[in-house]
């Protein structure tokens, strides 16, 4: 019986889901129909007006005039073509060109030239253009790496740069051609102040040893290790001989771009960082570039999810020494270990958003597939568990259900703080009830309170429901009967809330993940974390409504919209916990102390972008916002208030609010530190261009 | 000023007629105020009372107009036209002529006549000087609640008088103007009209005027009480622009003093009046052309009464790039390749501030360094740029962010009325800025430039930018002069301190917007030295001018700037060797393939106006 009842309840919930979905879609359809109706009306009126004009006497009478004006226009174009040709190529040029075009294209070609200023087949203005076929240099994914020209005034620019680099390369049985390519890539650097330290980790391949014996640039040092120590040990040998201000790590079969050290030097001169990393791409076996990784700026939580900084990696030598170099027990993830440790010592970390490193794909290498090296997976898990312990944090590593070789960190909640769930609502009984039911029915953590901020409900059903829940334990209902201002409602909710952790929640959401509060709070309690977001799905659960907000050129936009929740995303960004500039306020958790430190929601943003503003202010205050992809909720988006883009008035309001947002945060106008400028400027799926 | 009597000199003979008060013993102002106290209503004369003209005779006005419009015979033609208009007026039994009547009789093209008529009105407004004593009395009458009006014999018309009152901050009151009323003061009937309008006993009506015969005597004859106003301190003649006659080319500093300085100061004098009339909230001097102007204003505080001013960094190119995005990129392709003939393909990227690709990569696109661009390679170049669009768009976004950050730094308010001041020859820079700001930061932009030209490529199809004015335009001077100035725009840009390393972008930077310059052509520092000397000269002139302003009024703005027009006149002095030897002054068309010197710069002939 229990099973049956549970099944019935599940079906009832599914039905309710569907009803809400239908309600949302029919509302959307109604609004769009209304727009279509209005546009059809306007079109009909315009057509009638046009018919009247065409039928009018004045139109008929002015027909010769219009003909004459058209001809005059053409005559003017012809004059422009002729005079332009004369001006550019001399007095006789129009005659010569005209004759040539007449001969090559006939009278119609001649006429085309006169009226368009270009020969037939040439692009007169903005004709559709297709790319130049570059099949031989384009990667299998269509990506093209385009090397840059040495700046014409490079010598002048270099005068101000004196930083020195030591490039350390552990070598073991490397194919001579690949080793040669790696060394050549260093020798071809625009930036001259470098030292290359090649450490032969007791190669058994004679060809490798012979390649290392070849005469080299005096800046190249070759060290021989008597025994094979592994990558960390060999690198540490190289570090001991390094003299540069900064260490640059280069794998024996990879390549630096010619501008790599120059760009690193510029970055160091401008920001004085301790650690610099850049974007990178890969080299296929046939020598083409592919799979560029355009990375976010420094993201501590992303760093715990994946070794995203990877190549090129440039660390101040004194810091590497302070850290004791690389650790052999983490061979395979020794670089990850280094970055995690150094980020505990410094916050001076910079990202150069340029491809400065080509990582060669060799079958069975990590570049090809992480799963190809099971021992690396194990090390990566151990490494992060050790990191948590070192940092005094409690948490566990969980394999991703979709990709078990990758692990996310599940931080354990510290203590048993009260979580205040603040839900603004108005005349939305059915939706609110489903939301509250899901919280009360699903949540595995029970130290929470619900603060419903009623924005002046009028409907009897809603008023009755609010009266009922008022008496529920852990539920507060406060009434604010004033024009809708989401910021104000939430601030009032916070004032009435008792919890140290705040969770702003839309009334049209439903919890799916039982330990949602613990998971989100685990992140929210980290000192460096600001807002924590959750993955929101459209009713039915098969499409993403929110998986993080990207600040693209068009403004804040939801990433991976309508993709499957299991979609990997760019470098697993839809599955792993990454730092994002913003998360939606439909489900946003933040510690009260941090929220109050930034002054709460801004009342100047009553409808849109108030949540983005909170996230931006948290970011500007030095916090990192994070998306907890493991937490999922259903979101019946804007059932309560309607969508913002369906009428001109709403569009204008949206534009006003967006203007206000960027007036408040001018530095973030068309900038998202957690996206990358090399990706599509208006892409929500991290499209490579 | 009347049609019958062209004597503009102030009447200084003191006479008392009827109840007119002689101001000999008391101060003139007090006398007037006393007279106003006892009157029920007051009429004021215009010329010689509320206003004086800063030049002696109408012939001077005609001579100036003749010079501005390249018509040496204009003064004679103008006088003859006026005489003919007066004759026709007599024959028609009318009492007064209008300015339109005169210009109807001028034997020139109607369009030219129209331009000359507008220019004469503008010049007459420019030479008007307010009489502070009389105007204080005017304000006093209004404060006392005395119905007041203005009576004037002039063919310039009511609109002219109204404009003069507004320009000088006087409340428009009832106007009785001879050319509009077909009645005159000298005939007395204008006073009858005024008395009928006021409907008060005539002996309670006071007329204050400076012309003893035409005003005071006639008003008294019509029963008005009168006050003969004798200006206690006639306006000094305008300060003149002193230039040193020389047969030798002027060295850069001297050129700055004699040409750049007067032009800049004249422009600022004109700007001061324009921005006030247009209700501008903020003045943005568009660098580099406006840089000199901004510096003059900044270093001579109080010399010009302007709204908050700031230097605004940018250029046509920087703004156009800022307007480009992934949706409109294709439409901007013609702009990107304009004037590229003769350049190496990678230079097309360099001039946009886009990192140029390595020679071997360019060769992959069949656009290697051995290619010199021509019409034949345009299609290939277009395809290449399209292929590279997202690299170019990164620069566009940087510029857009820089532009936005700059506006925030300048504390510009959305929707504010902003003056964009500089050397925007054809309005293209203003257009580009307005396009870039659409949907980004709406401003009510009004462009003010030194000279506004209608370029050959734009003629006919060209429409002026939405809101723009220029000191020198076809409304104020002959088209041939505008054309000549435009042809020499690179030289004039230089005179205004436009550096060779043109602004090609804006970088929001960290906390402060940084200007991105095209630094390819300034290896020797020669140009910087020339600009420094020119600017020093211009600044010295501005300082001297600010001192002179304390004791004398400046000449009309166009006259002030006239040395610049003379400087580019055919047969004028050759360029100093230092300036003449500068090469690749136009960064947009600059190429390592050739090194054109300044006098031989390729005329600006792009399809997009001044494409920088």
């Amino acid at each position: 019986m229990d099973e049956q009842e549970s099944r019935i309840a599940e079906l009832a919930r599914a039905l309710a889901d569907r009803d809400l979905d239908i309600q949302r879609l029919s509302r959307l359809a109604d609004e769009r129909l209304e727009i279509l109706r209005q546009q059809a009306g306007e079109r009909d009126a315009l057509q009638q007006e046009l018919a009247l004009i065409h039928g009018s006497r004045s139109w008929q009478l002015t027909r010769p005039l219009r003909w004459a004006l058209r001809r005059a226009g053409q005559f003017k174009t012809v004059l422009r073509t002729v005079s332009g040709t004369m001006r550019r190529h001399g007095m006789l040029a129009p005659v010569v060109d005209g004759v040539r075009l007449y001969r090559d294209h006939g009278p119609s070609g001649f006429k085309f030239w006169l009226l368009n200023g270009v020969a037939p087949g040439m692009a007169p203005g903005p004709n559709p253009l297709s790319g130049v076929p570059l099949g031989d240099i384009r990667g299998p994914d269509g990506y093209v790496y385009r090397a840059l020209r040495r700046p014409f005034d490079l010598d002048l620019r270099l005068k101000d740069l004196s930083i020195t680099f030591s490039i350390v390369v552990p070598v073991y049985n490397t194919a001579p051609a690949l080793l040669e390519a790696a060394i050549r890539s260093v020798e071809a650097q625009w930036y001259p102040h470098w030292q290359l330290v090649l450490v032969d980790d007791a190669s058994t391949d004679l060809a490798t040893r012979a390649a290392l014996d070849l005469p080299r640039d005096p800046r190249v040092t070759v060290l021989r290790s008597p025994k094979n120590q592994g990558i960390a040990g060999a690198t540490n040998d190289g570090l001991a001989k390094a003299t540069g201000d900064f260490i640059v790590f280069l794998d024996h079969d990879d390549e630096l771009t010619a501008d790599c050290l120059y760009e690193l030097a510029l970055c160091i001169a401008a920001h004085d960082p301790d650690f610099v990393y850049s974007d990178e791409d890969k080299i296929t076996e046939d020598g083409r570039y592919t799979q560029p990784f355009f990375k976010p700026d420094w993201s501590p939580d992303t760093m715990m999810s994946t070794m995203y900084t990877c190549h090129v990696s440039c660390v101040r030598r004194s810091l590497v020494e302070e850290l004791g170099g690389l650790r052999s027990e983490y061979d395979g993830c020794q670089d990850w270990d280094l970055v995690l440790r150094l980020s505990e010592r410094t916050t001076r970390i910079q990202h150069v958003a340029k491809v400065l490193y080509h990582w060669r794909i060799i079958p069975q290498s990590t570049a090809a597939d992480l799963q190809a090296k099971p021992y690396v997976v194990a090390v990566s898990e151990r490494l992060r568990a050790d990191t948590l312990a070192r940092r005094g944090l409690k948490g566990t590593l969980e394999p991703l259900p979709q990709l078990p070789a990758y692990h996310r960190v599940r931080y354990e909640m510290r203590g048993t703080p009260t979580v205040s769930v603040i839900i603004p609502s108005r005349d939305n009984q059915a939706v609110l009830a489903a939301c509250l039911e899901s919280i009360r029915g699903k949540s595995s953590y029970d130290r929470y309170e619900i603060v419903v901020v009623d924005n002046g409900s009028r409907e009897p059903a809603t008023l009755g429901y609010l009266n009922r829940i008022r008496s529920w334990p852990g539920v507060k209902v406060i009434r604010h009967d004033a024009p809708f201002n989401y910021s104000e409602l939430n601030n009032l909710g916070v004032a009435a809330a008792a919890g140290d952790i705040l969770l702003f929640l839309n009334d049209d959401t439903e919890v799916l993940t039982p330990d949602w509060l613990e998971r989100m709070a685990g992140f929210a309690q980290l000192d460096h974390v600001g807002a924590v977001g959750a993955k929101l799905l459209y009713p039915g659960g098969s499409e993403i409504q929110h998986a993080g907000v990207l600040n693209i050129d068009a403004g804040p936009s939801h990433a991976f919209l309508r993709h499957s929740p299991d979609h990997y995303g760019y470098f697993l960004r839809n599955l792993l916990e990454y730092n994002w500039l913003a998360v939606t306020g439909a489900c946003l958790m933040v510690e009260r102390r941090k929220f109050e430190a930034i002054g709460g929601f801004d009342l100047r943003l009553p409808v849109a972008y108030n949540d983005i503003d909170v996230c931006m202010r948290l970011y500007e205050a030095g916090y990192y916002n994070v998306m907890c992809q493991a937490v999922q909720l259903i979101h019946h988006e804007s059932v309560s208030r309607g969508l913002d883009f369906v009428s001109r008035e709403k569009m204008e309001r949206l534009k006003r609010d967006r203007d206000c947002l960027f007036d408040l945060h001018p530095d973030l106008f068309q900038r998202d530190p957690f996206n990358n400028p090399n990706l599509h400027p208006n892409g929500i799926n991290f499209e490579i261009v | 000023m009347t049609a019958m009597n062209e004597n503009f000199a102030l009447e200084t003979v003191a006479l008392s007629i009827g109840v007119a008060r002689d101001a000999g013993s008391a101060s003139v102002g007090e006398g007037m105020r006393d007279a106003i106290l006892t009157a029920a209503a007051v009429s004021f004369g215009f010329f010689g009372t509320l206003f004086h003209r800063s030049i002696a005779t109408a012939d001077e006005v005609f001579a100036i107009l003749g010079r501005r419009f390249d018509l040496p015979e204009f003064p004679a033609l103008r006088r003859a036209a006026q005489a003919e208009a007066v004759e026709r007026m007599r024959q028609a039994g009318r009492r007064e002529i209008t300015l339109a009547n005169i210009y109807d009789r001028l034997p020139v093209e109607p369009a030219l006549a129209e331009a000359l008529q507008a220019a004469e009105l503008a010049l007459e407004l420019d030479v008007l000087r307010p009489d502070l004593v009389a105007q204080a009395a005017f304000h006093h009458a209004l404060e006392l609640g005395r119905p007041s009006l203005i009576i004037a014999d002039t063919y310039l018309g009511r609109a002219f008088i109204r404009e003069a009152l507004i320009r000088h901050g006087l409340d428009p009151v009832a106007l009785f103007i001879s050319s509009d009323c077909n009645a005159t003061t000298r005939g007395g009937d204008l006073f009858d009209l005024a008395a009928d309008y006021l409907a008060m006993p005539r002996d309670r009506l006071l007329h204050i005027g400076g012309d003893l015969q035409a005003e005071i005597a006639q008003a008294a004859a019509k029963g008005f009480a009168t006050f003969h106003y004798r200006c206690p301190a006639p306006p000094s003649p305008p300060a003149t622009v002193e230039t040193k006659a020389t047969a030798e080319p002027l060295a850069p500093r001297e050129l700055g003093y004699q040409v750049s300085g007067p032009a800049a100061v004249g422009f600022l004098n004109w700007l001061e009046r324009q921005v006030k009339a247009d209700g501008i909230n903020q003045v943005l001097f568009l660098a580099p052309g406006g840089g000199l102007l901004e510096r003059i204003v900044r270093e001579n505080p109080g010399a010009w009464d302007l709204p908050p001013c700031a230097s605004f960094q940018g250029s046509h190119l920087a703004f156009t790039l800022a307007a480009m995005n992934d949706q409109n990129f294709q439409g901007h392709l013609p702009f990107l390749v304009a004037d590229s003939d003769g350049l190496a393909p990678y230079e097309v990227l360099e001039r946009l501030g886009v990192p140029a690709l390595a020679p071997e990569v360019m060769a992959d696109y069949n656009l290697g360094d051995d290619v010199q661009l021509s019409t034949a390679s345009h299609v290939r170049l277009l395809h290449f740029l399209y292929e590279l669009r997202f690299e170019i768009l990164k620069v566009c976004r940087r510029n857009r962010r820089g532009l936005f950050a700059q506006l925030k730094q300048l504390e510009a308010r959305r929707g504010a009325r902003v003056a964009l001041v500089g050397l925007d020859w054809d309005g293209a820079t203003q257009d580009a800025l307005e396009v870039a700001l659409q949907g980004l930061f709406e401003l009510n932009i009004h462009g003010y430039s030194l000279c506004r030209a209608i370029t050959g490529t734009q003629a006919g199809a060209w429409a002026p930018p939405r809101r723009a004015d220029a000191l020198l335009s076809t409304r104020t001077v002959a088209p041939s002069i505008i054309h000549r100035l435009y042809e020499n725009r690179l030289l004039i840009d230089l005179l205004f301190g436009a550096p060779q390393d043109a602004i090609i972008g804006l970088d929001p930077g960290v906390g402060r917007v940084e200007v991105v310059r095209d630094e390819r052509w300034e290896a020797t520092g020669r140009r910087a030295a020339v600009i420094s000397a020119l600017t020093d000269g211009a600044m010295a002139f501005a300082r001297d001018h600010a001192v002179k302003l304390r004791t004398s009024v400046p000449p009309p703005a166009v006259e002030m700037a006239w040395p610049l027009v003379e400087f580019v006149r055919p047969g004028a002095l050759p360029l100093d060797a230092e300036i003449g030897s500068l090469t690749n002054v136009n960064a947009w068309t600059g190429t390592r393939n050739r090194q054109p010197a300044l006098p031989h710069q390729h005329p600006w002939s792009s399809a997009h106006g001044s494409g920088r």
Side-chain angles (χ1 to χ4, degrees), chain A residues 35 66 93 268 282 412 644 682:
Chain A
I35 291 172
R66 289 197 303 279
I268 291 163
K282 296 194 175 102
E412 204 173 286
D644 281 327
N682 275 312

Side-chain angles (χ1 to χ4, degrees), chain A residues 30-43:
Chain A
D30 286 349
E31 284 172 329
R32 293 213 168 140
L33 267 178
E34 182 53 33
I35 291 172
L36 281 175
R37 213 171 289 130
Q38 281 173 9
Q39 285 173 346
E42 282 170 16
R43 188 198 58 211

Side-chain angles (χ1 to χ4, degrees), chain B residues 21-35 133 227-230 232:
Chain B
R21 285 158 173 80
D22 185 358
S25 57
S27 81
V28 178
E30 279 171 18
M32 267 193 290
R33 275 198 288 275
D34 290 346
V133 177
F227 184 94
H228 179 213
Y229 174 61
R230 289 165 303 160

Side-chain angles (χ1 to χ4, degrees), chain A residues 87 122 127-130 134 138 146-147 149 152 553 659 663 667 669-671 677-678 680 682 689, chain B residues 326 330 333 346 356-358 365 369 375 379 383 386-388 390 394 397 400-401 408 414 440 605:
Chain A
R87 201 170 49 243
M122 306 279 275
N127 269 2
L129 297 168
S130 57
L134 288 167
R138 209 177 280 282
R146 302 181 189 92
R149 178 178 297 255
F152 68 94
D553 280 7
D659 287 349
D663 282 347
D667 185 49
F669 171 70
Q670 299 199 340
R671 183 174 87 87
N678 295 304
H680 195 293
N682 275 312
V689 290
Chain B
D326 53 321
Q330 209 158 301
L333 277 171
Y346 73 91
L357 304 188
Y365 289 93
D369 291 1
T375 316
V379 171
H383 282 236
Y386 188 73
E387 165 88 7
L388 209 67
F390 287 103
K394 277 195 267 181
R397 171 156 54 175
R400 195 158 52 244
R401 295 191 63 236
K408 298 304 296 174
R414 291 177 191 272
L440 173 73
S605 58

Side-chain angles (χ1 to χ4, degrees), chain B residues 45 105 112 256 266-267 276 315 342 376 539 599:
Chain B
R105 311 316 316 156
L112 178 57
F267 185 25
K276 210 171 284 178
S315 64
M539 293 305 298

